[in-house]
Amino acid sequence: MFTVETPAAVPSEPIWRLSVAQYHAMIQSGILTDDDPVELLEGWLVVKMPKNPRHRAATRIIRGALENLLPDGWYVDTQEPITTTDSEPEPDVVIVRGDTRQYLDRHPGPEDIALVLEVSDATLQSDRSSKYRTYARANISIYWIVNLVESQIEVYTAPSGPIDQPNYGQRKDYTLSDVIPVMLEGTEIGQLPLHELLP
């Protein structure tokens, strides 16, 4: 008998969602390791996309540019976890309050974060949907999508917080000829020319 293998379908019946505590327990017990390419978004384990060279370059360029602007009391992190009520994403770049030694027993949370940023190519759809909802629900005040597909940076502000359909109330797009302001708790700390940020 000849059979054709087909990929597993997304189940139509209810499937189990994880809490952040359950996700942490899976990591602590070794069920999930650093080698597992997953992150927790809205209670679901989601596979992280591999990074291409342009994505890696944009992440590094932007990290360096932001580090040059930050005052004392803040630092830039890249591709490390942050913890919200129902998620533990690993944003490409994040500006965090304090010093990394303050976070030895927990990951930074929304109250510690001034800016979260995703570099988007193959991930553009998820960065505009599940990541967008995750950051808006967590009340992260500024979310940048560095859109490599359309050569622009989308800046989202005025998060709704935890409602049924979390969103950001404002969006402003910056193109290659623009200069983007970098805000820290409502104060502009500098400006970055976009043509210098996008590889």
Side-chain angles (χ1 to χ4, degrees):
M1 175 184 243
F2 179 74
T3 59
V4 177
E5 288 189 26
T6 58
V10 175
S12 57
E13 62 273 3
I15 56 178
W16 189 262
R17 294 180 84 167
L18 297 174
S19 68
V20 170
Q22 290 167 324
Y23 180 64
H24 287 172
M26 291 173 73
I27 294 169
Q28 290 163 0
S29 66
I31 295 170
L32 292 175
T33 70
D34 287 343
D35 295 329
D36 293 308
V38 296
E39 59 189 335
L40 185 70
L41 296 179
E42 301 181 301
W44 308 110
L45 278 184
V46 177
V47 176
K48 294 187 292 187
M49 295 292 287
K51 309 288 191 285
N52 65 38
R54 192 163 178 240
H55 184 289
R56 178 204 50 78
T59 301
R60 186 64 194 102
I61 291 166
I62 292 168
R63 177 183 180 149
L66 291 172
E67 285 175 334
N68 290 334
L69 292 178
L70 285 186
D72 289 342
W74 296 88
Y75 71 96
V76 180
D77 216 345
T78 50
Q79 299 171 349
E80 296 296 340
I82 63 173
T83 303
T84 72
T85 303
D86 67 348
S87 301
E88 196 157 282
E90 298 179 14
D92 289 316
V93 179
V94 63
I95 295 178
V96 183
R97 181 191 315 279
D99 179 273
T100 192
R101 292 179 187 276
Q102 291 176 229
Y103 303 100
L104 298 179
D105 60 352
R106 68 176 180 92
H107 298 307
E111 66 281 1
D112 308 307
I113 294 168
L115 166 71
V116 68
L117 181 157
E118 297 288 354
V119 176
S120 300
D121 38 31
T123 61
L124 185 57
Q125 181 180 355
S126 64
D127 292 339
R128 284 178 171 168
S129 57
S130 58
K131 290 279 182 82
Y132 173 93
R133 291 190 305 269
T134 295
Y135 299 142
R137 181 182 294 110
N139 257 326
I140 292 175
S141 60
I142 304 174
Y143 173 36
W144 288 10
I145 295 179
V146 179
N147 182 341
L148 299 180
V149 178
E150 299 167 338
S151 298
Q152 66 181 23
I153 294 181
E154 303 166 12
V155 176
Y156 297 90
T157 56
S160 65
I163 61 174
D164 286 343
Q165 296 295 324
N167 62 74
Y168 281 91
Q170 297 179 1
R171 170 182 171 172
K172 183 170 175 62
D173 294 346
Y174 295 84
T175 61
L176 288 174
S177 60
D178 293 328
V179 173
I180 188 167
V182 179
M183 306 296 292
L184 196 63
E185 296 190 311
T187 300
E188 184 177 308
I189 61 168
Q191 297 185 342
L192 298 172
L194 251 70
H195 72 272
E196 294 180 6
L197 300 179
L198 300 185

